[in-house]
């Protein structure tokens, strides 16, 4: 949503939004490698600020979902661990008395 004829923030926000969309679909690798632009463009317009805040909200929701999923996996992994086996220090002894 460009604010004017040429909006310097549009490609930056497009990139961020594309990465979030990919990550929401399961491609978390899309989040890797992003860096802020070396030269900051002019200040954001109100529309760009709204768009950036929307992207930030989606990023935060995704982070929360990932943390929740990590916790579910951690609980599952803990449940799957077998109790540690402690070998007996001495063989069992049975005494059978008949009559």
């Amino acid at each position: 949503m460009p604010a004017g004829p040429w909006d310097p923030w549009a490609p930056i926000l497009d990139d961020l939004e594309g990465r979030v969309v990919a990550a929401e679909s399961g491609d978390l690798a899309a989040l890797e490698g992003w860096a802020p632009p070396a030269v900051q463009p002019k200040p954001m317009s109100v529309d760009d600020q709204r768009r950036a805040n929307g992207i930030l909200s989606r990023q935060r929701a995704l982070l929360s979902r990932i943390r929740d999923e990590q916790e579910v996996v951690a609980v599952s992994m803990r449940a799957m661990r077998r109790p540690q086996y402690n070998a007996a220090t001495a063989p069992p002894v049975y005494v059978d008395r008949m009559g």
Side-chain angles (χ1 to χ4, degrees):
M1 292 182 205
W6 184 76
D7 180 9
W9 284 101
I12 297 166
L13 296 175
D14 289 344
D15 180 43
L16 283 172
E17 192 166 37
R19 289 170 183 264
V20 171
V21 167
E24 288 171 334
S25 299
D27 181 12
L28 297 180
L31 299 175
E32 295 177 15
W34 187 86
V39 176
Q40 295 297 318
K42 68 180 184 177
M44 284 185 164
S45 68
V46 172
D47 288 338
D48 286 338
Q49 288 175 13
R50 283 190 196 113
R51 184 175 176 204
N53 284 329
I55 293 168
L56 178 60
S57 293
R58 290 173 66 187
Q59 288 173 330
R60 287 179 174 159
L62 177 62
L63 179 59
S64 177
R65 190 181 96 203
I66 290 170
R67 285 183 178 152
D68 291 345
E69 289 175 9
Q70 284 177 328
E71 183 58 30
V72 168
V73 170
V75 167
S76 176
M77 289 176 68
R78 282 193 297 269
M80 291 172 52
R81 288 191 182 134
R82 295 181 183 187
Q84 283 203 341
Y85 172 74
N86 292 326
T89 56
V93 177
Y94 298 96
V95 176
D96 188 357
R97 291 188 164 183
M98 296 190 71

